Amino acid sequence: MRFVAPCLLGLEGLAANDLKFKGIPGVRAENGRVLFEGDHSVMARANICSSMCARVFILLAEFEARDFDTLFEGVKAIDWSSFIGERDAFPVKGNSLDSALTSIPACQKIIKKAVVEKLRQSYDTGWFEEDGGVHQIQFRIFKNRVSIMLDTTGDALNKRGYRAMSNDAPIKETLAAAMCDLARVRADHTVVDPFCGSGTILIEAARKALNIMPGIDRSFAFEAWDQVDPAVVAEERRRAREGERRDAAFKAYGYDIDEAALELARRNAELAGVGDRIVFEKRDIRDYADENERVSVITNPPYGERMLDVSQARELYAVMGEKFPRLPYHSYTIISPDDSFEKTFGRPADKRRKLYNGTLRCQVYQYFK
């Protein structure tokens, strides 16, 4: 099977390398997505192990379509009975951009009709109960190029299962994982987040250090499919568990001025299985003092579009510049949408990377020299 895994813009290379490192073969990055091939074990591994992708789709077909007849025939040509059983549910959703086929409801109707017609031929029936496992059909039409996919994931992959609640402006787990990857978090790391909020960055850092796979504690849509052998999934979960490094020396510290956010962070860390690795304390950035010989600061400070007005956010950036000095074995990884961040912080970054936090264009600024 062919698979496509979308990711945040700017993370394609990181997401591809993450999957390669975790044993996914033939990975290649494209704009906003990662592609690879494999069987059900690869599908399960990608879902369980991907840190930065949003979902894993089976890519069933790609073709050009400028009218509904062509769309119908392209969808009908797919061997649907290989993926959808006689009683399975198969809802349709998707999007279209810069294409002749602009009506999403009309596209949904045509695609559903084509799938039903093909399944009628395969199962020799005129009615489908659709009370079995959900096989979500996803379509994407971009510049008249149609992609037809099946969603194997269900809830998006950033839903790790540990963040039951969050503060007002949480960072997505997938983006937090990317920041930890850029900061090169390792098993013996000490990591600090002085604006920790509900703890997502530190939890992702801890799980990365301990090699706890992102999806190990949750379920996926494909697990309800009759076509997937549960033993295959169980083997991939066993493989992931065996790779965990519970003897890692990792430790982390999270600070925030909001006691309610800190309480959420503690609860989330416990749910994530890393509560014993992270200390959360109420502390203002103005009182920040680093007492570690080696440390990586990874943080998503409040900013104008998020929680504070721009002038307040820039005041914090200036304080950070004072509190984060150049020291051996110290690094700082900071995400911000403010193009004047370096000027306000007080020195240019050693490395910058453009990416998107949802629809918000940001840069990750790294200081390590």
Side-chain angles (χ1 to χ4, degrees):
M1 294 177 288
R2 294 185 297 163
F3 298 98
V4 56
C7 62
L8 290 170
L9 289 171
L11 296 189
E12 298 91 344
L14 292 175
N17 287 336
D18 176 59
L19 288 176
K20 289 175 186 176
F21 181 75
K22 290 168 178 172
I24 303 298
V27 180
R28 65 186 189 279
E30 288 187 358
N31 190 30
R33 65 183 194 171
V34 176
L35 297 100
F36 53 95
E37 298 178 357
D39 55 13
H40 285 154
S41 64
V42 169
M43 179 181 72
R45 187 179 307 171
N47 274 286
I48 293 167
C49 299
S50 174
S51 297
M52 301 173 222
C53 293
R55 295 179 181 276
V56 177
F57 294 114
I58 301 173
L59 182 58
L60 299 176
E62 289 188 305
F63 54 89
E64 299 287 330
R66 296 175 179 272
D67 56 66
F68 289 125
D69 287 342
T70 306
L71 177 63
F72 180 90
E73 294 301 330
V75 173
K76 188 180 175 184
I78 297 168
D79 181 15
W80 288 103
S81 61
S82 294
F83 301 95
I84 298 175
E86 189 172 351
R87 300 192 69 90
D88 290 338
F90 48 100
V92 179
K93 65 180 180 180
N95 57 75
S96 178
L97 183 65
D98 293 339
S99 300
L101 300 176
T102 58
S103 171
I104 302 303
C107 290
Q108 289 175 295
K109 183 177 179 180
I110 291 296
I111 291 170
K112 183 79 173 186
K113 182 178 179 181
V115 177
V116 167
E117 183 65 27
K118 187 60 176 277
L119 290 177
R120 278 176 177 167
Q121 295 175 3
S122 300
Y123 296 121
D124 192 25
T125 182
W127 180 258
F128 295 96
E129 294 290 343
E130 295 198 51
D131 55 2
V134 176
H135 293 59
Q136 178 67 62
I137 299 172
Q138 185 86 22
F139 68 89
R140 179 177 185 266
I141 309 176
F142 180 62
K143 294 185 177 179
N144 300 310
R145 182 73 175 173
V146 180
S147 298
I148 303 295
M149 301 166 284
L150 275 183
D151 181 10
T152 72
T153 301
D155 288 338
L157 288 176
N158 66 287
K159 306 293 186 183
R160 317 289 208 214
Y162 65 74
R163 195 166 75 179
M165 298 181 68
S166 62
N167 61 335
D168 290 338
I171 187 172
K172 272 193 175 182
E173 294 86 339
T174 44
L175 182 53
M179 292 180 66
C180 293
D181 191 73
L182 289 170
R184 300 188 178 183
V185 169
R186 297 292 183 267
D188 59 350
H189 244 74
T190 297
V191 173
V192 174
D193 184 355
F195 303 98
C196 69
S198 54
T200 305
I201 288 175
L202 297 179
I203 292 169
E204 288 296 316
R207 285 166 69 101
K208 178 178 174 61
L210 274 60
N211 204 39
I212 300 173
M213 292 299 106
I216 196 66
D217 299 317
R218 54 159 288 177
S219 60
F220 303 97
F222 69 80
E223 292 183 83
W225 297 0
D226 292 337
Q227 297 84 358
V228 179
D229 185 351
V232 170
V233 185
E235 174 60 23
E236 287 301 324
R237 290 191 182 279
R238 183 200 63 78
R239 179 180 179 274
R241 288 290 188 197
E242 285 188 352
E244 293 179 5
R245 298 187 294 255
R246 295 290 177 172
D247 59 345
F250 177 89
K251 58 183 178 179
Y253 301 90
Y255 308 124
D256 206 285
I257 60 172
D258 185 345
E259 187 59 57
L262 290 169
E263 184 57 34
L264 279 177
R266 294 185 188 102
R267 288 166 56 190
N268 290 341
E270 289 294 333
L271 285 171
V274 294
D276 60 334
R277 301 295 180 136
I278 311 172
V279 175
F280 293 103
E281 295 179 0
K282 187 174 182 179
R283 186 182 299 185
D284 192 289
I285 185 62
R286 295 167 182 83
D287 301 320
Y288 179 82
D290 179 26
E291 301 167 353
N292 299 284
E293 182 179 348
R294 298 168 181 257
V295 70
S296 289
V297 173
I298 309 174
T299 192
N300 175 34
Y303 43 74
E305 291 86 347
R306 182 166 160 258
M307 294 177 73
L308 304 178
D309 66 41
V310 173
S311 62
Q312 288 176 310
R314 288 176 178 170
E315 285 179 19
L316 290 182
Y317 295 161
V319 173
M320 291 164 62
E322 296 172 3
K323 296 293 182 178
F324 298 166
R326 295 180 189 270
L327 290 172
Y329 310 114
H330 283 57
S331 68
Y332 310 99
T333 300
I334 306 160
I335 187 170
S336 173
D338 192 339
D339 291 335
S340 67
F341 173 83
E342 290 166 294
K343 180 180 179 181
T344 311
F345 186 79
R347 61 184 189 269
D350 298 310
K351 192 173 183 179
R352 293 185 299 276
R353 188 183 191 99
K354 293 181 181 179
L355 48 76
Y356 280 79
N357 184 358
T359 59
L360 185 62
R361 186 176 63 85
C362 296
Q363 291 204 63
V364 173
Y365 300 91
Q366 291 189 272
Y367 298 86
F368 46 80
K369 294 181 181 178

